[in-house]
Amino acid sequence: MSTGPMSTGRVAGKVAFITGAARGQGRSHALRLAAEGAAIIAVDLCGPLPSVEYPLATAEDLADTARAVEDLDRRVVAVQADVRDLASLERALSLGVAELGRLDIVSANAGILSSGSLAELGEPAWREMIDINLSGVWRTCKASIPYLIDGGRGGSIILTSSVAGLKSYPNMAHYVAAKHGVTGLARALAIELAPHRIRVNSVHPTQVDTDMIQNDVMYRLFRPDLANPGRADFAEASRATGLLPVDWVEAADVSSVLLFLASDDARYITGAALPVDAGALLTKLS
Ligand SMILES: NC(=O)c1ccc[n+]([C@@H]2O[C@H](COP(=O)([O-])OP(=O)(O)OC[C@H]3O[C@@H](n4cnc5c(N)ncnc54)[C@H](O)[C@@H]3O)[C@@H](O)[C@H]2O)c1
């Protein structure tokens, strides 16, 4: 089945399932893959969560992503779904594959951030973090893999971890634990799925300029020395975490890596943990 008129590009004719696609990196991934010829199944929670202090995406954000994909002349199925709920992901995939005909690429990108020392953080915040940032990635894979295997054409699964999936940071042990778990999940799945020519890799961004980090919670976490830190104060501290002289990376930088891993250019790359970190893994600063 065609995924849109004149499908050309590095993922032409393929269909990608992206969680957390309403905004930020997920939207950027959707647009980048669509620009390179893919049709998109986009899902997002589109609602608030008890442990998350910054605003999450809205239904309007998800509709904007869908419109932007269509503006690129690509087909899209956008559905509200919660990575804490396997049945909601299965429903979204069932709708999307019925409409678009196949599944080739999976971007398990949805995630949240909250902070606090182990002493401060209660069990609800721990549970919510693990349920979304680790178990949610597992559910995304669980729901998608049958379609990839049944398609018989191989596939590419890209799990969004973080620099915090390879290195530890204080005051977010639950995030660090979840993201390290994602790194392990990618490596384990790479072994299981290789016989089906399904590749599984993880990406590990440093700070990315999205709503997840451009908020007061993050500013305070990075600048505990200041009473009322702002974007510029955060930029200074954020820049110090990497080697390259940049304040943070852009969502588009992560999308470029995701596109590479999704495309046949990476056809023999599986089980890799690819940093997009401006050198942060080589610094002592966190
Ligand atoms: N921004 C950063 O600095 C950074 C760095 C490293 C890794 N990451 C990771 O990148 C991914 C994308 O984050 P982002 O920077 O685009 O932030 P973002 O907050 O803009 O996007 C995250 C999206 O996930 C959605 N989401 C949250 N919980 C969900 C759930 N239960 N079900 C479905 N969707 C849900 C949100 O509504 C939101 O649209 C996350 O996994 C995050 O942990 C971010």
Side-chain angles (χ1 to χ4, degrees):
M1 184 177 282
S2 155
T3 51
M6 292 184 301
S7 280
T8 57
R10 291 166 71 189
V11 285
K14 298 196 170 170
V15 175
F17 177 53
I18 304 172
T19 66
R23 71 174 194 200
Q25 295 176 61
R27 177 185 288 175
S28 172
H29 298 343
L31 297 184
R32 191 67 190 276
L33 292 172
E36 293 288 341
I40 307 295
I41 305 168
V43 300
D44 203 288
L45 172 67
C46 305
L49 289 163
S51 70
V52 179
E53 292 182 69
Y54 56 91
L56 288 164
T58 63
E60 269 173 36
D61 291 327
L62 185 59
D64 285 348
T65 296
R67 261 191 301 276
V69 171
E70 283 167 350
D71 286 347
L72 292 166
D73 258 348
R74 296 292 159 227
R75 300 176 68 196
V76 60
V77 173
V79 183
Q80 269 180 250
D82 185 343
V83 299
R84 292 171 300 175
D85 174 10
L86 181 59
S88 77
L89 297 174
E90 287 170 343
R91 264 195 307 278
L93 273 162
S94 162
L95 275 171
V97 174
E99 176 83 19
L100 303 171
R102 55 191 281 169
L103 183 69
D104 306 279
I105 298 159
V106 177
S107 163
N109 161 82
I112 56 168
L113 181 64
S114 57
S115 67
S117 68
L118 197 76
E120 290 159 347
L121 276 175
E123 191 168 350
W126 169 269
R127 278 183 185 279
E128 195 159 78
M129 177 61 71
I130 300 301
D131 206 10
I132 293 174
N133 284 21
L134 178 54
S135 305
V137 173
W138 173 81
R139 289 185 199 96
T140 302
C141 297
K142 180 79 179 159
S144 307
I145 287 167
Y147 290 99
L148 296 175
I149 291 178
D150 289 351
R153 293 177 296 265
S156 175
I157 302 177
I158 300 119
L159 307 187
T160 299
S161 178
S162 166
V163 168
L166 296 169
K167 171 181 181 174
S168 64
Y169 291 82
N171 297 316
M172 49 167 85
H174 57 334
Y175 187 86
V176 169
K179 292 299 190 183
H180 273 70
V182 170
T183 312
L185 181 60
R187 298 176 68 202
L189 286 179
I191 297 173
E192 287 190 20
L193 296 174
H196 302 281
R197 289 185 299 116
I198 299 168
R199 300 179 292 102
V200 189
N201 296 287
S202 53
V203 290
H204 300 264
T206 185
Q207 288 81 249
V208 187
D209 189 9
T210 67
D211 294 337
M212 177 179 278
I213 61 159
Q214 297 296 357
N215 61 68
D216 289 340
V217 183
M218 199 67 175
Y219 296 168
R220 286 196 300 271
L221 184 68
F222 271 70
R223 296 306 302 264
D225 54 314
L226 299 177
N228 268 317
R231 185 181 168 100
D233 306 310
F234 169 55
E236 201 180 313
S238 179
R239 170 183 285 245
T241 65
L243 295 177
L244 298 173
V246 289
D247 296 342
W248 37 66
V249 303
E250 303 299 328
D253 298 308
V254 185
S255 299
S256 296
V257 172
L258 181 117
L259 170 64
F260 165 67
L261 290 172
S263 76
D264 288 343
D265 290 342
R267 64 185 175 153
Y268 297 136
I269 299 180
T270 195
L274 209 48
V276 188
D277 72 336
L281 285 166
L282 289 180
T283 67
K284 279 192 181 157
L285 275 171
S286 59

